[in-house]
Every structure is written in C-alpha cells, then in structure tokens.
Amino acid sequence: MIFAEVIEGLKEGRNFTRQCSATLNGKFITMQIPADIPNDVIPKMQSLNDGAKSILGTVGDCQIHYRNQVLMVNKVDGEPNTATYYMPTWEDIFADDWQAI
C-alpha cells in the first residue's frame, strides 16, 4: 500500500504500520478524532501545564480544537504503551510496504 492510501485510511479511522521500517518496528500510526475541548475541561487536563491552561482560558473562544493530529503508538509487548506525534519521512512517503492493522 502507498502513503496516499494510508492518508485516506487514517481519515476513515484505520491504523497502519510498515512491513520493513525500523522507525515503525513495533509501532503503528493512527489519526486522532477531531475534538473540541471546552473551557471547563481545560483546567482538568493532564496533558497541559498550568501556564498553558491559564493562557487558553483568556484567548479566542477559550477552547482547544484538536485537528489533523497523527500519532505514532508503541505496541511492543513488555513496554509501556506510549504515543507521540508522527511526522512521515520521505522514505515513509515513497514506501509501498504500508499495511493496515
């Protein structure tokens, strides 16, 4: 599968990995579902520091609107489940060894 197909699959809620990639060995990518976080929830979020929380409560519509985020998730047995941002490399973009999981 090529990367253009991966992008469309991510939009459909599917998850992907590469067969031959050291970068994605034991990991997969997934797209977060777009979400709107209201002002009353922001102070309770564990993923933001207090300074960011106070700024967000005073600007714009005082909400967070998550859009177009792709995560790389570690799924290796015996290791903690972790997620971080995913930025494709040129190797990922031109690869044809992508597979849905």
Side-chain angles (χ1 to χ4, degrees):
M1 174 179 305
I2 63 172
F3 196 68
E5 294 169 299
V6 170
I7 293 170
E8 292 307 311
L10 288 169
K11 291 177 186 177
E12 296 167 359
R14 295 165 53 206
N15 306 306
F16 297 89
T17 192
R18 287 192 50 208
Q19 294 173 349
C20 301
S21 173
T23 304
L24 291 179
N25 186 23
K27 299 174 179 146
F28 68 94
I29 62 171
T30 189
M31 185 171 177
Q32 287 188 292
I33 298 169
D36 301 307
I37 311 302
N39 184 280
D40 62 323
V41 173
I42 292 173
K44 302 171 191 168
M45 293 178 69
Q46 296 178 344
S47 58
L48 292 174
N49 65 55
D50 290 337
K53 293 175 189 179
S54 65
I55 292 168
L56 291 167
T58 63
V59 297
D61 61 1
C62 301
Q63 299 183 45
I64 300 174
H65 304 278
Y66 285 102
R67 301 291 184 266
N68 302 322
Q69 294 190 121
V70 176
L71 296 177
M72 181 169 38
V73 181
N74 181 4
K75 64 173 185 69
V76 177
D77 287 339
E79 293 184 21
N81 294 322
T82 57
T84 188
Y85 68 93
Y86 170 71
M87 296 286 291
T89 65
W90 285 110
E91 181 182 339
D92 290 338
I93 292 168
F94 291 113
D96 62 2
D97 66 343
W98 284 97
Q99 62 183 16
I101 58 168

